[in-house]
Amino acid sequence: MEGAKVYTQGTDGSWCKATVLAALGGGKYRVQPEPWEGAKDGTDNVSNQSLDPVEVDASNMEGGTLPFQNSSMPENGFPDMTTLDHLHEAALLHNLRVRFF
């Protein structure tokens, strides 16, 4: 799963984009958070969390794993969200963010 583009949930409950650096076993992963589109500072510009690598526990998430990002996200988002490769809360919210904000 190393290198996979995923979403993690921040401490405030918001979703953050990330890349998996390592699968640590037991549903735990080391991830590198990514900035949202248009972010210019050293945070993700949504939840103001650091972009330093972190360890996340996905064992109590649905499926016991991190939700994947959609690999073919158009620059202006998907007009028809039923065409998302990965259809889950984080992907829906990300698509809405790209399309309307």
Side-chain angles (χ1 to χ4, degrees), residues 20-55:
V20 175
L21 299 175
L24 305 175
K28 294 184 181 178
Y29 300 90
R30 182 141 184 90
V31 300
Q32 173 68 56
E34 300 173 1
W36 288 104
E37 294 83 357
K40 294 179 177 61
D41 57 11
T43 67
D44 71 6
N45 209 25
V46 174
S47 62
N48 292 322
Q49 294 183 10
S50 170
L51 295 177
D52 296 328
V54 295
E55 185 177 312

PDB file of all heavy atoms in Angstrom, residues 20-55:
ATOM      1  N   VAL A  20       0.539   7.270   1.596  1.00  0.00           N
ATOM      2  CA  VAL A  20       1.013   6.249   2.530  1.00  0.00           C
ATOM      3  C   VAL A  20       2.512   6.052   2.338  1.00  0.00           C
ATOM      4  O   VAL A  20       2.981   5.798   1.236  1.00  0.00           O
ATOM      5  CB  VAL A  20       0.273   4.914   2.322  1.00  0.00           C
ATOM      6  CG1 VAL A  20       0.856   3.821   3.197  1.00  0.00           C
ATOM      7  CG2 VAL A  20      -1.216   5.080   2.587  1.00  0.00           C
ATOM      8  N   LEU A  21       3.257   6.195   3.430  1.00  0.00           N
ATOM      9  CA  LEU A  21       4.699   5.951   3.404  1.00  0.00           C
ATOM     10  C   LEU A  21       5.010   4.507   3.768  1.00  0.00           C
ATOM     11  O   LEU A  21       5.939   3.912   3.232  1.00  0.00           O
ATOM     12  CB  LEU A  21       5.416   6.897   4.373  1.00  0.00           C
ATOM     13  CG  LEU A  21       5.266   8.394   4.090  1.00  0.00           C
ATOM     14  CD1 LEU A  21       5.934   9.212   5.189  1.00  0.00           C
ATOM     15  CD2 LEU A  21       5.834   8.738   2.724  1.00  0.00           C
ATOM     16  N   ALA A  22       4.219   3.958   4.724  1.00  0.00           N
ATOM     17  CA  ALA A  22       4.457   2.580   5.168  1.00  0.00           C
ATOM     18  C   ALA A  22       3.218   2.025   5.841  1.00  0.00           C
ATOM     19  O   ALA A  22       2.520   2.749   6.557  1.00  0.00           O
ATOM     20  CB  ALA A  22       5.632   2.525   6.136  1.00  0.00           C
ATOM     21  N   ALA A  23       2.954   0.743   5.607  1.00  0.00           N
ATOM     22  CA  ALA A  23       1.919   0.022   6.342  1.00  0.00           C
ATOM     23  C   ALA A  23       2.610  -0.598   7.547  1.00  0.00           C
ATOM     24  O   ALA A  23       3.565  -1.362   7.399  1.00  0.00           O
ATOM     25  CB  ALA A  23       1.286  -1.041   5.460  1.00  0.00           C
ATOM     26  N   LEU A  24       2.142  -0.263   8.747  1.00  0.00           N
ATOM     27  CA  LEU A  24       2.807  -0.704   9.968  1.00  0.00           C
ATOM     28  C   LEU A  24       2.172  -1.944  10.577  1.00  0.00           C
ATOM     29  O   LEU A  24       2.680  -2.482  11.548  1.00  0.00           O
ATOM     30  CB  LEU A  24       2.797   0.442  10.993  1.00  0.00           C
ATOM     31  CG  LEU A  24       3.393   1.764  10.495  1.00  0.00           C
ATOM     32  CD1 LEU A  24       3.221   2.855  11.539  1.00  0.00           C
ATOM     33  CD2 LEU A  24       4.855   1.588  10.111  1.00  0.00           C
ATOM     34  N   GLY A  25       1.067  -2.414  10.001  1.00  0.00           N
ATOM     35  CA  GLY A  25       0.365  -3.585  10.518  1.00  0.00           C
ATOM     36  C   GLY A  25      -0.707  -3.196  11.522  1.00  0.00           C
ATOM     37  O   GLY A  25      -0.660  -2.127  12.126  1.00  0.00           O
ATOM     38  N   GLY A  26      -1.681  -4.067  11.681  1.00  0.00           N
ATOM     39  CA  GLY A  26      -2.750  -3.815  12.637  1.00  0.00           C
ATOM     40  C   GLY A  26      -3.608  -2.612  12.282  1.00  0.00           C
ATOM     41  O   GLY A  26      -4.183  -1.973  13.163  1.00  0.00           O
ATOM     42  N   GLY A  27      -3.688  -2.274  10.996  1.00  0.00           N
ATOM     43  CA  GLY A  27      -4.486  -1.138  10.564  1.00  0.00           C
ATOM     44  C   GLY A  27      -3.815   0.204  10.760  1.00  0.00           C
ATOM     45  O   GLY A  27      -4.444   1.243  10.614  1.00  0.00           O
ATOM     46  N   LYS A  28      -2.524   0.199  11.091  1.00  0.00           N
ATOM     47  CA  LYS A  28      -1.788   1.457  11.291  1.00  0.00           C
ATOM     48  C   LYS A  28      -0.921   1.749  10.078  1.00  0.00           C
ATOM     49  O   LYS A  28      -0.360   0.843   9.462  1.00  0.00           O
ATOM     50  CB  LYS A  28      -0.939   1.386  12.553  1.00  0.00           C
ATOM     51  CG  LYS A  28      -1.785   1.297  13.802  1.00  0.00           C
ATOM     52  CD  LYS A  28      -0.944   1.334  15.041  1.00  0.00           C
ATOM     53  CE  LYS A  28      -1.868   1.225  16.261  1.00  0.00           C
ATOM     54  NZ  LYS A  28      -1.148   1.217  17.490  1.00  0.00           N
ATOM     55  N   TYR A  29      -0.836   3.042   9.758  1.00  0.00           N
ATOM     56  CA  TYR A  29      -0.074   3.488   8.597  1.00  0.00           C
ATOM     57  C   TYR A  29       0.723   4.729   8.955  1.00  0.00           C
ATOM     58  O   TYR A  29       0.305   5.534   9.777  1.00  0.00           O
ATOM     59  CB  TYR A  29      -1.013   3.842   7.434  1.00  0.00           C
ATOM     60  CG  TYR A  29      -1.853   2.689   6.978  1.00  0.00           C
ATOM     61  CD1 TYR A  29      -3.105   2.446   7.547  1.00  0.00           C
ATOM     62  CD2 TYR A  29      -1.410   1.836   5.983  1.00  0.00           C
ATOM     63  CE1 TYR A  29      -3.881   1.384   7.138  1.00  0.00           C
ATOM     64  CE2 TYR A  29      -2.184   0.766   5.565  1.00  0.00           C
ATOM     65  CZ  TYR A  29      -3.415   0.547   6.152  1.00  0.00           C
ATOM     66  OH  TYR A  29      -4.176  -0.516   5.738  1.00  0.00           O
ATOM     67  N   ARG A  30       1.872   4.880   8.322  1.00  0.00           N
ATOM     68  CA  ARG A  30       2.637   6.127   8.401  1.00  0.00           C
ATOM     69  C   ARG A  30       2.344   6.852   7.099  1.00  0.00           C
ATOM     70  O   ARG A  30       2.534   6.298   6.010  1.00  0.00           O
ATOM     71  CB  ARG A  30       4.122   5.850   8.552  1.00  0.00           C
ATOM     72  CG  ARG A  30       4.947   7.117   8.680  1.00  0.00           C
ATOM     73  CD  ARG A  30       6.059   6.894   9.704  1.00  0.00           C
ATOM     74  NE  ARG A  30       6.809   8.105   9.934  1.00  0.00           N
ATOM     75  CZ  ARG A  30       6.500   9.008  10.858  1.00  0.00           C
ATOM     76  NH1 ARG A  30       5.454   8.831  11.626  1.00  0.00           N
ATOM     77  NH2 ARG A  30       7.239  10.085  11.021  1.00  0.00           N
ATOM     78  N   VAL A  31       1.847   8.096   7.208  1.00  0.00           N
ATOM     79  CA  VAL A  31       1.436   8.838   6.026  1.00  0.00           C
ATOM     80  C   VAL A  31       2.086  10.211   5.985  1.00  0.00           C
ATOM     81  O   VAL A  31       2.460  10.774   7.015  1.00  0.00           O
ATOM     82  CB  VAL A  31      -0.106   8.998   5.950  1.00  0.00           C
ATOM     83  CG1 VAL A  31      -0.797   7.648   5.900  1.00  0.00           C
ATOM     84  CG2 VAL A  31      -0.634   9.827   7.105  1.00  0.00           C
ATOM     85  N   GLN A  32       2.212  10.726   4.775  1.00  0.00           N
ATOM     86  CA  GLN A  32       2.697  12.081   4.532  1.00  0.00           C
ATOM     87  C   GLN A  32       1.489  12.923   4.123  1.00  0.00           C
ATOM     88  O   GLN A  32       0.968  12.758   3.025  1.00  0.00           O
ATOM     89  CB  GLN A  32       3.735  12.084   3.408  1.00  0.00           C
ATOM     90  CG  GLN A  32       4.176  13.468   2.977  1.00  0.00           C
ATOM     91  CD  GLN A  32       4.979  14.157   4.060  1.00  0.00           C
ATOM     92  OE1 GLN A  32       5.974  13.631   4.521  1.00  0.00           O
ATOM     93  NE2 GLN A  32       4.535  15.336   4.469  1.00  0.00           N
ATOM     94  N   PRO A  33       0.997  13.809   5.007  1.00  0.00           N
ATOM     95  CA  PRO A  33      -0.125  14.674   4.629  1.00  0.00           C
ATOM     96  C   PRO A  33       0.242  15.545   3.430  1.00  0.00           C
ATOM     97  O   PRO A  33       1.410  15.885   3.222  1.00  0.00           O
ATOM     98  CB  PRO A  33      -0.357  15.528   5.877  1.00  0.00           C
ATOM     99  CG  PRO A  33       0.217  14.711   6.997  1.00  0.00           C
ATOM    100  CD  PRO A  33       1.398  14.000   6.398  1.00  0.00           C
ATOM    101  N   GLU A  34      -0.758  15.884   2.625  1.00  0.00           N
ATOM    102  CA  GLU A  34      -0.569  16.713   1.439  1.00  0.00           C
ATOM    103  C   GLU A  34      -1.415  17.978   1.575  1.00  0.00           C
ATOM    104  O   GLU A  34      -2.496  17.933   2.158  1.00  0.00           O
ATOM    105  CB  GLU A  34      -1.032  15.973   0.188  1.00  0.00           C
ATOM    106  CG  GLU A  34      -0.313  14.685  -0.087  1.00  0.00           C
ATOM    107  CD  GLU A  34      -0.943  13.913  -1.240  1.00  0.00           C
ATOM    108  OE1 GLU A  34      -1.933  14.391  -1.828  1.00  0.00           O
ATOM    109  OE2 GLU A  34      -0.448  12.830  -1.534  1.00  0.00           O
ATOM    110  N   PRO A  35      -0.958  19.077   1.017  1.00  0.00           N
ATOM    111  CA  PRO A  35      -1.779  20.297   1.061  1.00  0.00           C
ATOM    112  C   PRO A  35      -2.957  20.185   0.097  1.00  0.00           C
ATOM    113  O   PRO A  35      -2.886  19.481  -0.905  1.00  0.00           O
ATOM    114  CB  PRO A  35      -0.817  21.391   0.622  1.00  0.00           C
ATOM    115  CG  PRO A  35       0.201  20.685  -0.211  1.00  0.00           C
ATOM    116  CD  PRO A  35       0.323  19.299   0.366  1.00  0.00           C
ATOM    117  N   TRP A  36      -4.024  20.879   0.426  1.00  0.00           N
ATOM    118  CA  TRP A  36      -5.158  20.969  -0.489  1.00  0.00           C
ATOM    119  C   TRP A  36      -4.783  21.877  -1.643  1.00  0.00           C
ATOM    120  O   TRP A  36      -3.862  22.681  -1.548  1.00  0.00           O
ATOM    121  CB  TRP A  36      -6.385  21.527   0.232  1.00  0.00           C
ATOM    122  CG  TRP A  36      -6.979  20.563   1.196  1.00  0.00           C
ATOM    123  CD1 TRP A  36      -6.855  20.597   2.550  1.00  0.00           C
ATOM    124  CD2 TRP A  36      -7.763  19.416   0.894  1.00  0.00           C
ATOM    125  NE1 TRP A  36      -7.517  19.544   3.111  1.00  0.00           N
ATOM    126  CE2 TRP A  36      -8.084  18.799   2.116  1.00  0.00           C
ATOM    127  CE3 TRP A  36      -8.225  18.848  -0.287  1.00  0.00           C
ATOM    128  CZ2 TRP A  36      -8.851  17.644   2.192  1.00  0.00           C
ATOM    129  CZ3 TRP A  36      -8.990  17.695  -0.208  1.00  0.00           C
ATOM    130  CH2 TRP A  36      -9.296  17.116   1.016  1.00  0.00           C
ATOM    131  N   GLU A  37      -5.517  21.792  -2.707  1.00  0.00           N
ATOM    132  CA  GLU A  37      -5.312  22.651  -3.866  1.00  0.00           C
ATOM    133  C   GLU A  37      -5.357  24.107  -3.413  1.00  0.00           C
ATOM    134  O   GLU A  37      -6.259  24.507  -2.683  1.00  0.00           O
ATOM    135  CB  GLU A  37      -6.387  22.414  -4.925  1.00  0.00           C
ATOM    136  CG  GLU A  37      -6.353  21.036  -5.558  1.00  0.00           C
ATOM    137  CD  GLU A  37      -7.066  19.965  -4.751  1.00  0.00           C
ATOM    138  OE1 GLU A  37      -7.568  20.240  -3.640  1.00  0.00           O
ATOM    139  OE2 GLU A  37      -7.110  18.827  -5.223  1.00  0.00           O
ATOM    140  N   GLY A  38      -4.380  24.900  -3.825  1.00  0.00           N
ATOM    141  CA  GLY A  38      -4.360  26.314  -3.491  1.00  0.00           C
ATOM    142  C   GLY A  38      -3.713  26.657  -2.164  1.00  0.00           C
ATOM    143  O   GLY A  38      -3.531  27.822  -1.848  1.00  0.00           O
ATOM    144  N   ALA A  39      -3.319  25.670  -1.352  1.00  0.00           N
ATOM    145  CA  ALA A  39      -2.676  25.947  -0.058  1.00  0.00           C
ATOM    146  C   ALA A  39      -1.257  26.453  -0.311  1.00  0.00           C
ATOM    147  O   ALA A  39      -0.549  25.941  -1.163  1.00  0.00           O
ATOM    148  CB  ALA A  39      -2.646  24.688   0.805  1.00  0.00           C
ATOM    149  N   LYS A  40      -0.842  27.468   0.445  1.00  0.00           N
ATOM    150  CA  LYS A  40       0.475  28.059   0.212  1.00  0.00           C
ATOM    151  C   LYS A  40       1.370  28.059   1.442  1.00  0.00           C
ATOM    152  O   LYS A  40       2.529  28.369   1.359  1.00  0.00           O
ATOM    153  CB  LYS A  40       0.305  29.499  -0.277  1.00  0.00           C
ATOM    154  CG  LYS A  40      -0.353  29.594  -1.640  1.00  0.00           C
ATOM    155  CD  LYS A  40      -0.512  31.031  -2.062  1.00  0.00           C
ATOM    156  CE  LYS A  40      -1.100  31.174  -3.441  1.00  0.00           C
ATOM    157  NZ  LYS A  40      -2.406  30.632  -3.624  1.00  0.00           N
ATOM    158  N   ASP A  41       0.836  27.715   2.604  1.00  0.00           N
ATOM    159  CA  ASP A  41       1.656  27.755   3.820  1.00  0.00           C
ATOM    160  C   ASP A  41       2.076  26.348   4.220  1.00  0.00           C
ATOM    161  O   ASP A  41       1.912  25.418   3.454  1.00  0.00           O
ATOM    162  CB  ASP A  41       0.909  28.471   4.949  1.00  0.00           C
ATOM    163  CG  ASP A  41      -0.437  27.822   5.259  1.00  0.00           C
ATOM    164  OD1 ASP A  41      -0.704  26.714   4.756  1.00  0.00           O
ATOM    165  OD2 ASP A  41      -1.210  28.414   6.013  1.00  0.00           O
ATOM    166  N   GLY A  42       2.611  26.192   5.414  1.00  0.00           N
ATOM    167  CA  GLY A  42       3.108  24.899   5.881  1.00  0.00           C
ATOM    168  C   GLY A  42       2.058  24.028   6.529  1.00  0.00           C
ATOM    169  O   GLY A  42       2.375  23.082   7.231  1.00  0.00           O
ATOM    170  N   THR A  43       0.774  24.340   6.304  1.00  0.00           N
ATOM    171  CA  THR A  43      -0.306  23.520   6.835  1.00  0.00           C
ATOM    172  C   THR A  43      -1.173  23.053   5.681  1.00  0.00           C
ATOM    173  O   THR A  43      -0.989  23.464   4.544  1.00  0.00           O
ATOM    174  CB  THR A  43      -1.177  24.312   7.835  1.00  0.00           C
ATOM    175  OG1 THR A  43      -1.865  25.339   7.121  1.00  0.00           O
ATOM    176  CG2 THR A  43      -0.337  24.914   8.942  1.00  0.00           C
ATOM    177  N   ASP A  44      -2.170  22.222   5.988  1.00  0.00           N
ATOM    178  CA  ASP A  44      -3.031  21.738   4.908  1.00  0.00           C
ATOM    179  C   ASP A  44      -4.089  22.766   4.519  1.00  0.00           C
ATOM    180  O   ASP A  44      -4.869  22.544   3.615  1.00  0.00           O
ATOM    181  CB  ASP A  44      -3.660  20.392   5.259  1.00  0.00           C
ATOM    182  CG  ASP A  44      -4.725  20.483   6.330  1.00  0.00           C
ATOM    183  OD1 ASP A  44      -5.087  21.592   6.745  1.00  0.00           O
ATOM    184  OD2 ASP A  44      -5.205  19.421   6.740  1.00  0.00           O
ATOM    185  N   ASN A  45      -4.116  23.913   5.196  1.00  0.00           N
ATOM    186  CA  ASN A  45      -4.978  25.046   4.853  1.00  0.00           C
ATOM    187  C   ASN A  45      -6.456  24.768   5.066  1.00  0.00           C
ATOM    188  O   ASN A  45      -7.290  25.510   4.613  1.00  0.00           O
ATOM    189  CB  ASN A  45      -4.728  25.502   3.407  1.00  0.00           C
ATOM    190  CG  ASN A  45      -4.992  26.977   3.219  1.00  0.00           C
ATOM    191  OD1 ASN A  45      -4.907  27.748   4.159  1.00  0.00           O
ATOM    192  ND2 ASN A  45      -5.321  27.369   2.010  1.00  0.00           N
ATOM    193  N   VAL A  46      -6.816  23.658   5.695  1.00  0.00           N
ATOM    194  CA  VAL A  46      -8.208  23.385   6.031  1.00  0.00           C
ATOM    195  C   VAL A  46      -8.317  23.215   7.533  1.00  0.00           C
ATOM    196  O   VAL A  46      -8.988  23.970   8.216  1.00  0.00           O
ATOM    197  CB  VAL A  46      -8.730  22.124   5.302  1.00  0.00           C
ATOM    198  CG1 VAL A  46     -10.121  21.781   5.772  1.00  0.00           C
ATOM    199  CG2 VAL A  46      -8.724  22.344   3.804  1.00  0.00           C
ATOM    200  N   SER A  47      -7.624  22.226   8.066  1.00  0.00           N
ATOM    201  CA  SER A  47      -7.673  21.982   9.501  1.00  0.00           C
ATOM    202  C   SER A  47      -6.461  22.567  10.212  1.00  0.00           C
ATOM    203  O   SER A  47      -6.321  22.411  11.416  1.00  0.00           O
ATOM    204  CB  SER A  47      -7.757  20.471   9.775  1.00  0.00           C
ATOM    205  OG  SER A  47      -6.597  19.832   9.278  1.00  0.00           O
ATOM    206  N   ASN A  48      -5.587  23.246   9.467  1.00  0.00           N
ATOM    207  CA  ASN A  48      -4.363  23.850  10.005  1.00  0.00           C
ATOM    208  C   ASN A  48      -3.455  22.832  10.679  1.00  0.00           C
ATOM    209  O   ASN A  48      -2.740  23.155  11.609  1.00  0.00           O
ATOM    210  CB  ASN A  48      -4.709  24.991  10.966  1.00  0.00           C
ATOM    211  CG  ASN A  48      -5.324  26.150  10.226  1.00  0.00           C
ATOM    212  OD1 ASN A  48      -4.924  26.463   9.114  1.00  0.00           O
ATOM    213  ND2 ASN A  48      -6.312  26.766  10.831  1.00  0.00           N
ATOM    214  N   GLN A  49      -3.487  21.593  10.224  1.00  0.00           N
ATOM    215  CA  GLN A  49      -2.599  20.575  10.752  1.00  0.00           C
ATOM    216  C   GLN A  49      -1.284  20.610   9.984  1.00  0.00           C
ATOM    217  O   GLN A  49      -1.237  20.958   8.818  1.00  0.00           O
ATOM    218  CB  GLN A  49      -3.243  19.196  10.638  1.00  0.00           C
ATOM    219  CG  GLN A  49      -4.454  19.080  11.531  1.00  0.00           C
ATOM    220  CD  GLN A  49      -5.049  17.694  11.473  1.00  0.00           C
ATOM    221  OE1 GLN A  49      -4.460  16.781  10.921  1.00  0.00           O
ATOM    222  NE2 GLN A  49      -6.204  17.535  12.050  1.00  0.00           N
ATOM    223  N   SER A  50      -0.225  20.230  10.659  1.00  0.00           N
ATOM    224  CA  SER A  50       1.104  20.208  10.069  1.00  0.00           C
ATOM    225  C   SER A  50       1.167  19.217   8.918  1.00  0.00           C
ATOM    226  O   SER A  50       0.433  18.236   8.879  1.00  0.00           O
ATOM    227  CB  SER A  50       2.117  19.817  11.148  1.00  0.00           C
ATOM    228  OG  SER A  50       3.369  19.554  10.565  1.00  0.00           O
ATOM    229  N   LEU A  51       2.063  19.451   7.987  1.00  0.00           N
ATOM    230  CA  LEU A  51       2.267  18.540   6.875  1.00  0.00           C
ATOM    231  C   LEU A  51       3.426  17.586   7.130  1.00  0.00           C
ATOM    232  O   LEU A  51       3.949  16.965   6.203  1.00  0.00           O
ATOM    233  CB  LEU A  51       2.477  19.333   5.581  1.00  0.00           C
ATOM    234  CG  LEU A  51       1.270  20.155   5.125  1.00  0.00           C
ATOM    235  CD1 LEU A  51       1.613  20.951   3.865  1.00  0.00           C
ATOM    236  CD2 LEU A  51       0.076  19.269   4.876  1.00  0.00           C
ATOM    237  N   ASP A  52       3.825  17.437   8.393  1.00  0.00           N
ATOM    238  CA  ASP A  52       4.867  16.471   8.757  1.00  0.00           C
ATOM    239  C   ASP A  52       4.277  15.062   8.744  1.00  0.00           C
ATOM    240  O   ASP A  52       3.086  14.879   9.025  1.00  0.00           O
ATOM    241  CB  ASP A  52       5.413  16.780  10.154  1.00  0.00           C
ATOM    242  CG  ASP A  52       6.122  18.125  10.216  1.00  0.00           C
ATOM    243  OD1 ASP A  52       6.712  18.529   9.192  1.00  0.00           O
ATOM    244  OD2 ASP A  52       6.071  18.767  11.283  1.00  0.00           O
ATOM    245  N   PRO A  53       5.090  14.027   8.433  1.00  0.00           N
ATOM    246  CA  PRO A  53       4.581  12.653   8.442  1.00  0.00           C
ATOM    247  C   PRO A  53       3.988  12.281   9.804  1.00  0.00           C
ATOM    248  O   PRO A  53       4.493  12.705  10.842  1.00  0.00           O
ATOM    249  CB  PRO A  53       5.827  11.809   8.150  1.00  0.00           C
ATOM    250  CG  PRO A  53       6.740  12.731   7.408  1.00  0.00           C
ATOM    251  CD  PRO A  53       6.491  14.089   8.015  1.00  0.00           C
ATOM    252  N   VAL A  54       2.895  11.515   9.772  1.00  0.00           N
ATOM    253  CA  VAL A  54       2.209  11.094  10.995  1.00  0.00           C
ATOM    254  C   VAL A  54       1.820   9.626  10.905  1.00  0.00           C
ATOM    255  O   VAL A  54       1.755   9.055   9.816  1.00  0.00           O
ATOM    256  CB  VAL A  54       0.935  11.937  11.266  1.00  0.00           C
ATOM    257  CG1 VAL A  54       1.278  13.386  11.552  1.00  0.00           C
ATOM    258  CG2 VAL A  54      -0.034  11.843  10.109  1.00  0.00           C
ATOM    259  N   GLU A  55       1.553   9.032  12.048  1.00  0.00           N
ATOM    260  CA  GLU A  55       1.050   7.665  12.119  1.00  0.00           C
ATOM    261  C   GLU A  55      -0.449   7.743  12.354  1.00  0.00           C
ATOM    262  O   GLU A  55      -0.906   8.495  13.215  1.00  0.00           O
ATOM    263  CB  GLU A  55       1.727   6.915  13.264  1.00  0.00           C
ATOM    264  CG  GLU A  55       1.360   5.457  13.328  1.00  0.00           C
ATOM    265  CD  GLU A  55       2.114   4.728  14.432  1.00  0.00           C
ATOM    266  OE1 GLU A  55       3.341   4.895  14.523  1.00  0.00           O
ATOM    267  OE2 GLU A  55       1.445   4.004  15.200  1.00  0.00           O
TER     268      GLU A  55
END
